[in-house]
Amino acid sequence: MIGQTISHYRILEKLGAGGMGVVYKAEDTKLKRTVALKFLPAHLSASEGNKDRFIHEAQAASALNHPNVCTIHDIQEHDGQLFIVMEFVDGVTLWDKIQESPMSVADALSWAIQIGEALQEAHSKGIVHRDMKSENIIINAKFRAKVMDFGLAQLKGSIHAAQTGTVQGTLLYMSPEQARGDDVVFATDIWSLGVVLYEMLTTKFPFYHEYETAILYSILNEPPIPPKEIRSDIPEELDRIIIKCLQKEWQRRYPSAMNLVSDLRKLARALESGTPVVPAKRRRTTESALDVERKPATVMLVSIGHYAEMAGLLEPEELADLLEKCLAAVKAVAEKYLGTMASVTGGRFTMIFGLPEAIEGAARNAVQAAVDVRTALQRIAEEKQQQRYLTPTVSIDTGLVIAGPFGAAEGKEYAVVGDPMELVVKLLEAAQPGGILVGPLTQKQTQDSFKYRKGKSVVFRGGRAPVPSYELVGTIRKTERGRMGTERMLASMYVGREPELNKLELHVLKAIQGEGSIVSILGEPGIGKTRLIAELRNREPLKRVTVMEGRAVSHGQNLSFHPIIDIVKRWIGAEEEDTEEEDTEEQLQRRLLDAVS
């Protein structure tokens, strides 16, 4: 279309394309000004629903008249294609600026205030943007932020508004209510602006994972890492503002964009004048949020081949009896190797190793468990004369998962999501009937005990890199220690950590004598840090002291102090269960000193 004249607009160049439009830079030959034309993509023009949505975008945005909102001039149609004539903004997207480097606090505040004012204008007209993200914000040559693309806006009372139950918006910026498909409210945009502000200051997303299901779970259940833990020069008050924007329940966010802008302005003025900023009290994080964290684990998925066909041939009572025997066998193996049964769906069983309690050698336990499960199910198939249909196939993967309780306060369940949960499904699809297929990290952690043959790489949609797979072909005999059998693996003594144990015991003895110290135990997941502490607790010096245990967060700075902070918070919480407000850091320190004295 470059060089064409449509109506009285001469197309100069293509600026970009998105899901709902292609944008061109053009010259308005009547008014002698540069404009932007947004066309509904040709392959979508046949849909009346898309045309309606496109017109709705123009109607919603044209109702706004604000210096931080891209101005809509007109809407026209050319050869059956609708296009919007809008203000041409010469600049770069906020996304592009973020890729260069983190923003200064002053710049991030300035642009957040401008974006917040644009939202305030939209909300006053009954419009929810629904797709606030850094790509939809342009910074012009005068460093003014312009909010673009009201393509997903919801105009109150519009017959074209998206129906409840549909999920719209860009996932990384999506609010919990959008993720659930609930009614979208003004606080939805406040959540998304909180994500943008977090992104400007840290160049990271508060809820980022490789897979969509993990992102959705994180948005709905996991607390964000406070931005100040990523970047120490972020003011406490700004940290509080961002966390308030990212509250899971929309009622706990700012009641309006005006209130958010007011807090941002106060902070900007205080920083500019050098006035000390006293952060407002932050509400106590819920216990369920504290319990959700990233943990290393090994996931195993067992599938009974031809289950659907077998279910159609057997009487209901026979099928129930067969499944009961299979489930009992799988549970027995899980218990033997310290695994946890996560789910049972039809002819599929999922086991987790290393959760909820960490164990040493989780990957090795899982592979040996897979061998035993396959053997046990094959015996059941022989007994029931179902060898043709009851063919167990197993997939295993190791990696970081998000784990913790979810649901309402009563009746919480323990949930696990993450890359390994998704990869075991793909591995199972790629495995040969009766085979055991594992992911690369499982193979790496168990290659000294088991033999593998490299299989085909697992391919994902969406441009993700293929993941190699490995087929289990046998165990490795080690003559110096005998065969690594089941009993030997589980009953083996704790060896090879005596120097570390002696050092830790020395520090305990020094503490008893009044020479306190802090010792950090660091290392890759699965190397036995938890087992090391467990062994230390069994030593004689530990019987002479009172042991208090706390939990370190999965990410952040000053990790050595996090267990101490956790212990103090739990102690304070036990004394003041009725309070809803957190103590300030100064009050917390004072309480700690009082307790020590």
Side-chain angles (χ1 to χ4, degrees):
M1 296 180 70
I2 310 300
Q4 294 184 29
T5 298
I6 297 174
S7 182
H8 53 90
Y9 302 104
R10 186 164 61 88
I11 307 294
L12 301 177
E13 61 178 286
K14 183 178 178 179
L15 296 176
M20 278 303 295
V22 182
V23 184
Y24 294 92
K25 180 180 178 181
E27 179 189 2
D28 183 337
T29 56
K30 281 188 177 180
L31 298 178
K32 302 300 181 184
R33 63 182 177 183
T34 303
V35 295
L37 307 183
K38 183 174 182 179
F39 287 81
L40 184 69
H43 67 281
L44 297 178
S45 297
S47 168
E48 289 299 322
N50 283 319
K51 283 187 178 182
D52 286 348
R53 182 174 160 200
F54 197 70
I55 293 172
H56 171 223
E57 172 183 351
Q59 291 172 339
S62 64
L64 306 177
N65 182 17
H66 191 273
N68 296 115
V69 177
C70 179
T71 304
I72 300 296
H73 299 310
D74 194 9
I75 181 167
Q76 296 189 26
E77 187 169 354
H78 173 72
D79 289 341
Q81 244 188 321
L82 289 169
F83 66 93
I84 292 175
V85 183
M86 66 181 75
E87 171 189 6
F88 171 71
V89 183
D90 189 10
V92 297
T93 66
L94 188 57
W95 166 265
D96 290 329
K97 293 193 74 66
I98 290 170
Q99 304 318 301
E100 296 172 4
S101 64
M103 308 285 176
S104 68
V105 171
D107 283 347
L109 277 173
S110 174
W111 286 325
I113 289 169
Q114 294 179 53
I115 298 164
E117 289 178 336
L119 291 179
Q120 182 180 324
E121 169 70 11
H123 295 174
S124 70
K125 299 291 193 301
I127 300 168
V128 183
H129 190 288
R130 297 172 66 94
D131 196 24
M132 280 295 305
K133 57 184 178 181
S134 55
E135 288 178 282
N136 280 341
I137 300 162
I138 293 183
I139 308 300
N140 68 14
K142 296 181 179 180
F143 292 95
R144 180 176 292 279
K146 289 274 190 177
V147 180
M148 318 285 289
D149 196 357
F150 278 80
L152 296 177
Q154 182 181 33
L155 187 61
K156 282 189 175 179
S158 169
I159 61 172
H160 305 302
Q163 296 179 350
T164 301
T166 61
V167 176
Q168 297 187 33
T170 304
L171 188 57
L172 288 167
Y173 302 85
M174 190 178 289
S175 67
E177 57 270 18
Q178 281 179 295
R180 289 190 298 264
D182 293 344
D183 288 326
V184 174
V185 292
F186 297 139
T188 297
D189 287 342
I190 290 174
W191 167 286
S192 300
L193 178 51
V195 176
V196 171
L197 187 50
Y198 192 109
E199 184 188 8
M200 282 194 285
L201 292 165
T202 67
T203 70
K204 302 178 185 298
F205 292 101
F207 306 99
Y208 177 77
H209 300 281
E210 184 177 354
Y211 297 99
E212 291 184 358
T213 54
I215 294 172
L216 285 171
Y217 178 86
S218 186
I219 288 170
L220 291 170
N221 297 281
E222 190 178 23
I225 299 168
K228 189 170 178 60
E229 289 193 11
I230 299 173
R231 179 176 166 182
S232 59
D233 67 330
I234 295 175
E236 286 280 354
E237 176 64 2
L238 184 52
D239 191 77
R240 181 196 70 83
I241 289 170
I242 294 171
I243 295 300
K244 186 169 183 177
C245 291
L246 298 177
Q247 291 296 304
K248 306 295 185 187
E249 300 82 15
W250 64 264
Q251 297 90 341
R252 296 184 63 186
R253 298 172 211 153
Y254 281 94
S256 71
M258 183 185 301
N259 295 103
L260 170 58
V261 170
S262 176
D263 274 7
L264 291 171
R265 284 191 178 281
K266 287 178 186 176
L267 177 59
R269 286 195 297 268
L271 293 176
E272 188 175 353
S273 63
T275 306
V277 181
V278 180
K281 285 187 176 182
R282 186 178 295 169
R283 301 178 75 86
R284 186 181 299 277
T285 307
T286 61
E287 188 66 28
S288 62
L290 287 172
D291 288 342
V292 177
E293 57 186 346
R294 296 177 179 87
K295 295 181 177 181
T298 299
V299 182
M300 183 169 80
L301 181 59
V302 182
S303 175
I304 297 176
H306 308 291
Y307 171 78
E309 188 177 351
M310 184 173 63
L313 294 174
L314 297 179
E315 293 294 328
E317 294 80 7
E318 291 181 286
L319 182 64
D321 179 61
L322 180 62
L323 284 181
E324 188 177 344
K325 287 184 177 296
C326 291
L327 179 58
V330 173
K331 281 184 175 180
V333 173
E335 184 178 349
K336 182 179 180 180
Y337 291 96
L338 307 180
T340 301
M341 288 294 298
S343 67
V344 179
T345 306
R348 286 193 175 189
F349 310 92
T350 305
M351 280 185 274
I352 312 289
F353 296 82
L355 287 177
E357 297 296 330
I359 61 172
E360 187 179 11
R364 187 183 60 193
N365 281 16
V367 176
Q368 188 60 56
V371 174
D372 284 17
V373 163
R374 184 173 61 179
T375 301
L377 295 185
Q378 286 172 344
R379 287 173 181 168
I380 294 173
E382 292 174 3
E383 292 173 7
K384 297 291 184 179
Q385 297 182 349
Q386 295 294 337
Q387 296 96 321
R388 179 180 175 185
Y389 301 107
L390 209 165
T391 306
T393 305
V394 186
S395 60
I396 306 173
D397 189 51
T398 302
L400 286 176
V401 299
I402 305 168
F406 76 100
E410 296 182 3
K412 287 184 179 296
E413 297 181 22
Y414 194 79
V416 180
V417 299
D419 296 355
M421 299 296 291
E422 298 198 26
L423 184 54
V424 289
V425 176
K426 289 290 186 181
L427 288 169
L428 193 68
E429 294 172 357
Q432 294 294 321
I436 298 174
L437 205 62
V438 308
L441 190 54
T442 304
Q443 184 270 342
K444 182 178 179 180
Q445 292 185 4
T446 62
Q447 59 185 344
D448 290 339
S449 301
F450 299 95
K451 295 178 182 178
Y452 295 97
R453 176 171 54 234
K454 191 166 184 179
K456 295 181 180 179
S457 294
V458 176
V459 179
F460 292 88
R461 294 180 181 178
R464 295 173 187 153
V467 177
S469 68
Y470 299 86
E471 182 183 1
L472 179 69
V473 295
T475 58
I476 295 176
R477 293 180 180 272
K478 296 187 177 181
T479 55
E480 68 275 13
R481 289 186 296 173
R483 182 172 179 174
M484 291 295 290
T486 302
E487 297 79 6
R488 184 64 182 273
M489 282 196 291
L490 288 180
S492 61
M493 294 183 62
Y494 189 71
V495 296
R497 297 293 191 196
E498 199 66 24
E500 290 90 340
L501 277 171
N502 290 338
K503 284 184 181 180
L504 290 174
E505 186 175 341
L506 176 62
H507 281 284
V508 173
L509 292 171
K510 283 185 176 182
I512 292 172
Q513 296 169 7
E515 301 177 28
S517 58
I518 292 177
V519 181
S520 296
I521 301 175
L522 305 175
E524 294 298 318
I527 66 170
K529 300 186 295 295
T530 302
R531 178 72 182 273
L532 183 65
I533 299 300
E535 291 292 326
L536 177 66
R537 283 201 301 267
N538 294 328
R539 292 211 164 189
E540 185 62 32
L542 267 294
K543 299 177 182 178
R544 298 159 55 191
V545 299
T546 299
V547 178
M548 295 184 292
E549 294 189 24
R551 298 171 63 186
V553 296
S554 55
H555 293 277
Q557 299 173 338
N558 302 322
L559 287 174
S560 299
F561 296 96
H562 281 147
I564 299 172
I565 293 170
D566 185 44
I567 290 168
V568 175
K569 283 186 175 180
R570 288 166 183 256
W571 169 64
I572 294 172
E575 285 196 338
E576 300 182 355
E577 290 184 352
D578 295 334
T579 183
E580 196 176 21
E581 301 291 337
E582 277 193 1
D583 292 306
T584 63
E585 187 175 349
E586 182 180 350
Q587 290 170 323
L588 193 61
Q589 291 174 349
R590 190 161 57 246
R591 279 180 170 275
L592 179 57
L593 290 173
D594 290 343
V596 173
S597 61

